Amino acid sequence: MIVISINFGGRGEIRTLGTMLLVRLVSNQLVSTAHPLAKRDVVELAELLASPLILMNLPHSREYFLTLAQINRIRPQIVHETGSIEMLRAMVANQLGVGLLATDVAQDTACDGQPLVRLNLAGTLAPHRIALATAH
C-alpha cells in the first residue's frame, strides 16, 4: 500500500491519502489467426512487439504498454492508435498489427466476426494496478 502525505497549509495539519488496491490487471496479447505467433501458447514480449503494434490510446493504458516496452528495451513500431477496445480487436483480427489490452474480453472474435488469438507472455511483467484513494 502506498500512502501519500499532503500538507494543505493550516496549523501544520497533515492529511494523508491511503490507497486500496482494487484490481491487478495483466496484459492481454492479441494476434490474428494468420500471424506467425498464433499457434504458440507463450511468447516473449520482444517477439510480439517485433510485429507492428496497434496501441491502445487510453489514459494510463498507453503509458503502461509503452513503459513495459521501454523497461524491456523494446522500441515498438506503432502503426495505429485507437481509444476503442473493439476497434483494436477488429484491426488485429484483420491483420493490421498485434494488440495489447489491459483488460480481457471473453470473446474470441472481433465485432466484425473475424477470429482472434490470445497469447500468454513469458516472464513476469509489472502489473497494471487500479486503486482507490481515500483521505484520512
Side-chain angles (χ1 to χ4, degrees):
M1 177 172 11
I2 298 171
V3 177
I4 302 168
S5 239
I6 300 174
N7 185 341
F8 291 105
R11 300 188 188 240
E13 174 186 338
I14 296 179
R15 300 208 27 148
T16 58
L17 291 177
T19 59
M20 177 176 54
L21 181 63
L22 298 176
V23 66
R24 284 177 58 156
L25 301 172
V26 295
S27 175
N28 290 278
Q29 300 65 236
L30 300 173
V31 297
S32 71
T33 55
H35 194 279
L37 297 176
K39 302 246 186 279
R40 306 240 322 256
D41 291 330
V42 179
V43 298
E44 297 286 338
L45 184 61
E47 289 178 291
L48 183 69
L49 294 184
S51 296
L53 175 64
I54 301 165
L55 185 62
M56 192 79 241
N57 192 351
L58 290 174
H60 309 294
S61 291
R62 184 180 196 282
E63 290 79 15
Y64 171 67
F65 292 122
L66 291 177
T67 299
L68 285 182
Q70 184 179 23
I71 288 169
N72 289 281
R73 295 186 173 101
I74 303 166
R75 295 187 65 169
Q77 175 196 359
I78 300 167
V79 292
H80 299 286
E81 292 191 35
T82 180
S84 165
I85 291 172
E86 282 307 317
M87 177 64 78
L88 182 142
R89 290 169 49 82
M91 292 170 85
V92 168
N94 285 280
Q95 303 177 37
L96 299 176
V98 300
L100 298 168
L101 291 174
T103 57
D104 190 22
V105 177
Q107 293 179 314
D108 289 331
T109 57
C111 58
D112 65 353
Q114 293 296 317
L116 290 161
V117 176
R118 289 189 201 114
L119 300 174
N120 295 309
L121 284 181
T124 303
L125 299 176
H128 193 161
R129 295 184 179 103
I130 298 176
L132 175 67
T134 56
H136 298 286

